[in-house]
Amino acid sequence: MQKTYNWGIIGLGKIAHAFAEDLQLLPNARLHAVASRSTDKAQAFAKKFNATHAYGSYADLLDCPDLDAVYIATPHVLHQANALMCLEKGIAVLCEKPIAMNSAQLQRMVATARAQQTFLMEALWTRFLPNLLQSLHWIEEATLGEVFSVKADFGFKAKFDPEGRLFNPELGGGALLDIGIYPAFLATLLLGEPDEVVAFAKLASTGVDEECSALLRYANGHLANLHCTFRSTTKTEAFIYGEKGTIHIHTRWHEPSTLSLLLHDQRPQFFELEHKGNGYLYEAMEVMQCLEAGKTESDWWSLDHSLKLMKLLDTIRDKAQIKYPMEA
Ligand SMILES: NC(=O)c1ccc[n+]([C@@H]2O[C@H](COP(=O)([O-])OP(=O)(O)OC[C@H]3O[C@@H](n4cnc5c(N)ncnc54)[C@H](OP(=O)(O)O)[C@@H]3O)[C@@H](O)[C@H]2O)c1
C-alpha cells in the first residue's frame, strides 16, 4: 500500500484514545484531524497524537482538507447522526459498535452510504482479530465438521452512574447494545439468522438492561446461548461446538486472546497467536485495504452483516422489553 491514509476521529473519549494509539503502529496511517465538543480537549488530544487539525465541533471536521476516513467514537445514540453527516459529504466512515440504535436507523445509514457510494463499516474489531480468523479458518477447513452451537458471554461489574454512558438511557445505555453485541455478533457470523429467540433482561433503575440472556434456535436445529451483564465480571469466553469438537476462545474472547481446539478423543491443543497494539489496528487496516481497492464495504464485515446483527439485537430487545426513550 503506497498511500498514507489521513484519519479523523469524532468524539475523544476512552475508545478514541485506544484507537489513536493503534493508528500510530500503522506505517500507512496517520491521525490527521480530531473533533470534540470542546476545543481544549481537541487540542490536547491532537497534541498527544500529533494530529494536524483540532476542531471544537464535530461539524467543523467535515471541512478538513485531505481527510480519507473518519472514525466515530461517540455514544451509540449519536452514531447515526455523526455517520450521516460524514457520508453526505462523501467521507468514508468507520463507526463504533453498535453502528446504530436500531434497524431503522441503520437502514437509513446504509441507504445513504450506498447512494453516495461511500465506504461505511461498523467497527466490529473482533471480526478482524487473529483469534477469530484462526477459528474461522478451522471452521472453513471443516476441522469441527458441522458447527451446530455457539455459547458466548461478556460481563463486567460496572460502577452505577445514572448519568454515564453505560446506564443512561438517553445515551443508549444498557448491557446488550454495549457488550451483548459481541456474543450476538458471533452467533450471527457463524449461524446466521435465527428462527426463534427467547430473551430476558434485568433492568436497572434507569430503565436500561443491566443483564440480558438470550437463547436462539435456528431452522436446522442449531442453537446459540448468549449472556451479557454489568452486574458481575464473568469469564467472557466463547465456545463454538461442532460434530468433531469445540473451539474454546479464552477470556476475554472478544479481544486479542488465546484459544484451544478440543477435538473428540484428542489432547486439547492450545494456541497463542501474535497480536499487535490494543487490537484496533486490524479493523483500521481493513478500512484502508478496502479504500485502496475502491470498495465501499468490507467483505468480512459488510453492511448486510451489520443489518443482520442489528435485526437480532432488535428482536432480543423486543423479547426482553428493552426500550429507549427516543424510540417511544
Ligand atoms: N470497540 C471497543 O472495544 C469499544 C470499547 C469501548 C467503547 N466502544 C464504543 O465506543 C463508543 C464510545 O465509547 P467510550 O467508552 O469511548 O465512551 P466515552 O469514553 O464516554 O467517550 C465518548 C465520547 O463521545 C463524545 N460525546 C458526545 N456527546 C456526548 C454526551 N452527550 N455524553 C458523553 N459523551 C459524549 C465525548 O467526546 P467529546 O467530549 O470529545 O466530544 C466523549 O468523550 C460507544 O458506542 C461504545 O460502544 C467500543
Side-chain angles (χ1 to χ4, degrees):
M1 208 183 287
Q2 298 295 321
K3 181 179 155 71
T4 297
Y5 284 82
N6 283 332
W7 284 83
I9 302 183
I10 288 180
L12 307 179
K14 185 170 142 261
I15 193 65
H17 281 82
F19 185 82
E21 281 171 15
D22 275 13
L23 279 189
Q24 291 181 320
L25 303 176
L26 295 172
N28 57 328
R30 63 180 297 276
L31 186 56
H32 185 59
V34 295
S36 170
R37 295 164 301 168
S38 144
T39 305
D40 287 351
K41 193 174 168 188
Q43 284 172 347
F45 195 101
K47 191 170 171 210
K48 184 170 179 192
F49 292 102
N50 292 321
T52 314
H53 303 277
Y55 298 101
S57 105
Y58 298 164
D60 287 350
L61 178 105
L62 305 179
D63 296 322
C64 179
D66 304 324
L67 205 50
D68 293 307
V70 166
Y71 169 61
I72 293 171
T74 51
H76 321 334
V77 285
L78 296 179
H79 290 174
Q80 188 205 36
N82 295 160
L84 285 177
M85 72 183 189
C86 295
L87 295 170
E88 279 158 8
K89 285 247 180 185
I91 301 170
V93 170
L94 173 65
C95 183
E96 257 312 332
K97 40 58 58 177
I99 189 167
M101 289 298 295
N102 54 43
S103 295
Q105 282 195 354
L106 178 55
Q107 278 156 7
R108 183 158 164 223
M109 295 160 78
V110 170
T112 305
R114 288 180 176 161
Q116 294 285 101
Q117 297 185 346
T118 300
F119 182 85
L120 173 63
M121 188 178 95
E122 183 172 26
L124 252 164
W125 62 308
T126 308
R127 174 63 184 85
F128 307 100
L129 294 178
N131 56 7
L132 199 86
L133 298 188
Q134 179 62 61
S135 302
L136 292 174
H137 178 68
W138 283 325
I139 292 167
E140 275 155 28
E141 276 191 327
T143 306
L144 293 190
E146 186 185 351
V147 169
F148 51 72
S149 182
V150 167
K151 180 177 164 189
D153 76 308
F154 192 160
F156 67 92
K157 174 68 186 154
K159 188 170 177 294
F160 181 71
D161 171 7
E163 303 300 322
R165 186 177 75 71
L166 298 184
F167 287 97
N168 185 346
E170 301 290 343
L171 294 179
L176 178 66
L177 293 189
D178 196 57
I179 55 177
I181 187 171
Y182 289 104
F185 147 78
L186 194 65
T188 303
L189 185 70
L190 299 182
L191 301 176
E193 294 190 71
D195 260 23
E196 196 179 351
V197 174
V198 180
F200 296 97
K202 156 81 174 62
L203 301 185
S205 56
T206 54
V208 306
D209 58 303
E210 55 183 353
E211 182 159 18
C212 181
S213 282
L215 281 176
L216 282 48
R217 192 181 61 78
Y218 299 80
N220 44 16
H222 296 171
L223 296 171
N225 181 341
L226 317 176
H227 177 241
C228 61
T229 181
F230 287 156
R231 300 170 86 197
S232 42
T233 300
T234 69
K235 285 282 272 196
T236 306
E237 296 177 309
F239 297 86
I240 302 165
Y241 300 105
E243 285 171 317
K244 298 181 188 169
T246 299
I247 297 169
H248 175 188
I249 314 181
H250 302 163
T251 185
R252 295 187 331 159
W253 73 270
H254 74 291
E255 58 189 25
S257 66
T258 56
L259 64 171
S260 297
L261 182 61
L262 310 162
L263 297 177
H264 302 324
D265 305 323
Q266 290 189 26
R267 283 174 174 274
Q269 299 171 62
F270 175 83
F271 296 82
E272 186 157 13
L273 305 169
E274 190 192 328
H275 72 261
K276 297 177 187 139
N278 300 314
Y280 300 109
L281 76 181
Y282 300 102
E283 62 181 3
M285 283 160 58
E286 172 69 0
V287 173
M288 294 188 292
Q289 277 159 12
C290 287
L291 295 178
E292 189 86 357
K295 291 183 179 176
T296 53
E297 290 185 36
S298 161
D299 295 329
W300 282 10
W301 192 250
S302 67
L303 295 175
D304 283 342
H305 285 115
S306 286
L307 283 162
K308 280 189 191 127
L309 174 55
M310 191 56 73
K311 186 174 161 194
L312 173 59
L313 294 171
D314 284 355
T315 305
I316 294 174
R317 281 181 47 204
D318 181 51
K319 302 282 177 184
Q321 303 196 8
I322 302 168
K323 298 184 174 82
Y324 288 97
M326 65 293 272
E327 292 173 330

